[in-house]
Amino acid sequence: MVRAAARVRGGGTALPGKVVEAIDAGFMARTLAQLPYGVVLVSGTNGKTTTTRIVASMLERLGLRVFTNPTGSNFTRGVVSALLDQVDLSGRLHADVAVLELDEAYAVHFVKKVKPRYSLLLNVLRDQLDRFGEIDTTAKMLAAVAEATTGTVVLNREDPRVAQLAESVQQANARVEYFGLSDDLMSFFPSDDAMHETEDKLNYHLAHYRPAQVTLTELKQKKAVFAFGQTEGTYSAQLKLEGVYNAFNAAGALAVVDAVLREVQPQKRPSHAEMVLALSQVTPAFGRGESITVGNSDVELILVKNPMGFRLALKSFDSAEHDTMIIINDEYADGRDMSWLWDVDFSSLSAGGVQSVSGVRATDMALRLAYDGIDAQEVNENIEEAVQSFVSNGSGRNKHVYCTYTAMLAARKALAQIADVEDVGL
């Protein structure tokens, strides 16, 4: 009844789950307990939604029936809402394994009810400090996930706070594996501490070296090369995913998929070549490098929510080849404190300029750009008006829209009025 009412109401990713949590607190744990191969939990500061999509898509292509929360609604009630869409009237979930994205804070609540069999912990970066407090608090939240995992925990070898969670895993008697980078790619992915010059990341890497199950060894535009173990060979993939950060998170996805398939299909496990082929077929999650065609141009939505994520996004593209728009909101889901924008170097945008700035904090963003010598050509807090004006300009170039979470939702809604935009159930 809740599911039907939500559909009549027009969807929503969290409200049905909130209702069900109130009337049947055991629904989520009871339903997920049906899965023969358990739950894969993905968490961390950056890249959860896309990485969850990578893992789920790969496992499906490699033969498993997968349940996931595809909209990025990563609170426990979002998981419950997704379950409501998938169970039949008898409460049966027809899947082999669940691949779930969980917000760092809500992951702590989730693992009290459901123990994941596998977890993939991506990174710990300064993000939404008004919600989480200091960065070490976020690391403690991920430690709770590591301690609750019953099978294999895959950790980012290059993030000091994530790699140190191995101690929590070992106390829980779970298996620890890592994904990592080759030495010559280290400079592309500085840690939050390294960004403030309080740590030399390469020295950390050398002093605390751990063998990685999957290593990203080469990255040229969208071609990525991955090494498995120390002697299991290297394989290349032409990715459909944009951005250097997605290539690195794909290494983590490959590692956790490998761990799942070793247990699920020990006799007929797909080869590493087949896994990398499945990776090459994954398309971007909505709003995370999603490309929407408007007229003769492609409009790409790029989610940004903290200084490191924004820096890596800017590093991934040549601004001279695109028109650029930035939309900044400060709603709860974005984080109220936007002071982190001052820790982003926007000078790379000077080559192509910034055609438009919008959102609740449009004037703050325009001021920040001015300090890097960049004048925003248009400043308009009304997102719908600004998006339609931006995409209708006659430059003929493709367009990039950097946006916070609620700004991304508003931009998609504005684009849906003039173009074909995938319906993701929002």
Side-chain angles (χ1 to χ4, degrees), residues 153-386:
V153 180
V154 177
L155 302 174
N156 179 350
R157 180 182 68 184
E158 318 307 350
D159 187 308
R161 289 177 177 83
V162 173
Q164 289 168 3
L165 298 180
E167 299 175 5
S168 300
V169 180
Q170 290 161 353
Q171 293 172 7
N173 297 318
R175 179 183 176 89
V176 182
E177 294 184 353
Y178 299 93
F179 69 101
L181 296 165
S182 61
D183 292 347
D184 57 350
L185 291 179
M186 294 293 291
S187 62
F188 281 93
F189 302 91
S191 68
D192 196 273
D193 290 332
M195 186 173 68
H196 294 282
E197 300 180 344
T198 60
E199 176 199 22
D200 182 327
K201 190 174 184 192
L202 181 57
N203 286 344
Y204 172 87
H205 168 74
L206 296 174
H208 300 81
Y209 180 79
R210 303 167 173 88
Q213 180 61 24
V214 179
T215 305
L216 176 63
T217 62
E218 186 178 337
L219 182 61
K220 292 182 179 178
Q221 295 181 336
K222 291 187 178 182
K223 181 182 178 182
V225 179
F226 301 94
F228 285 78
Q230 302 298 298
T231 59
E232 298 173 63
T234 60
Y235 303 86
S236 63
Q238 192 69 30
L239 302 179
K240 294 182 179 179
L241 304 166
E242 294 277 9
V244 296
Y245 43 89
N246 282 332
F248 185 30
N249 289 336
L254 281 166
V256 79
V257 166
D258 193 36
V260 172
L261 294 177
R262 279 201 308 271
E263 179 177 345
V264 171
Q265 300 175 338
Q267 304 302 322
K268 53 177 182 177
R269 180 164 63 101
S271 67
H272 292 151
E274 290 172 313
M275 294 181 197
V276 173
L277 177 61
L279 169 64
S280 69
Q281 297 169 330
V282 179
T283 56
F286 87 98
R288 282 83 169 173
E290 177 185 23
S291 185
I292 297 167
T293 300
V294 182
N296 296 322
S297 299
D298 290 332
V299 181
E300 188 166 323
L301 300 177
I302 303 165
L303 182 68
V304 294
K305 60 192 187 75
N306 54 49
M308 187 54 63
F310 212 150
R311 282 188 175 200
L312 289 174
L314 293 172
K315 185 183 291 188
S316 298
F317 310 107
D318 182 354
S319 68
E321 298 177 356
H322 303 85
D323 290 338
T324 297
M325 180 180 192
I326 303 175
I327 314 177
I328 303 296
N329 278 355
D330 62 355
E331 303 297 332
Y332 176 77
D334 308 299
R336 299 288 190 184
D337 183 359
M338 288 293 137
S339 62
W340 61 265
L341 291 170
W342 293 88
D343 287 331
V344 182
D345 180 3
F346 292 98
S347 59
S348 65
L349 293 176
S350 60
V354 174
Q355 283 66 43
S356 180
V357 173
S358 187
V360 176
R361 303 295 286 270
T363 53
D364 299 81
M365 188 66 242
L367 176 65
R368 174 66 191 92
L369 291 171
Y371 269 83
D372 278 354
I374 302 168
D375 291 327
Q377 296 177 20
E378 180 182 4
V379 180
N380 183 350
E381 292 185 2
N382 186 301
I383 295 175
E384 181 179 342
E385 291 179 0

Side-chain angles (χ1 to χ4, degrees), residues 12-19 73 75 77-78 81:
T13 59
L15 180 59
K18 186 175 182 180
V19 174
S73 181
F75 295 176
R77 68 182 71 120
S81 293

Side-chain angles (χ1 to χ4, degrees), residues 94-158:
H94 299 282
D96 299 313
V97 64
V99 180
L100 302 177
E101 167 194 355
L102 269 298
D103 168 274
E104 300 95 300
Y106 278 84
V108 176
H109 300 292
F110 177 86
V111 300
K112 290 178 181 178
K113 298 180 178 180
V114 179
K115 303 296 183 186
R117 187 175 300 186
Y118 312 91
S119 59
L120 171 57
L121 305 181
L122 299 171
N123 42 56
V124 177
L125 302 171
R126 186 160 42 95
D127 180 56
Q128 298 190 45
L129 298 186
D130 51 308
R131 281 186 61 210
F132 294 142
E134 290 302 318
I135 190 170
D136 290 329
T137 302
T138 306
K140 290 178 182 177
M141 294 174 182
L142 295 185
V145 175
E147 291 167 1
T149 304
T150 62
T152 300
V153 180
V154 177
L155 302 174
N156 179 350
R157 180 182 68 184
E158 318 307 350

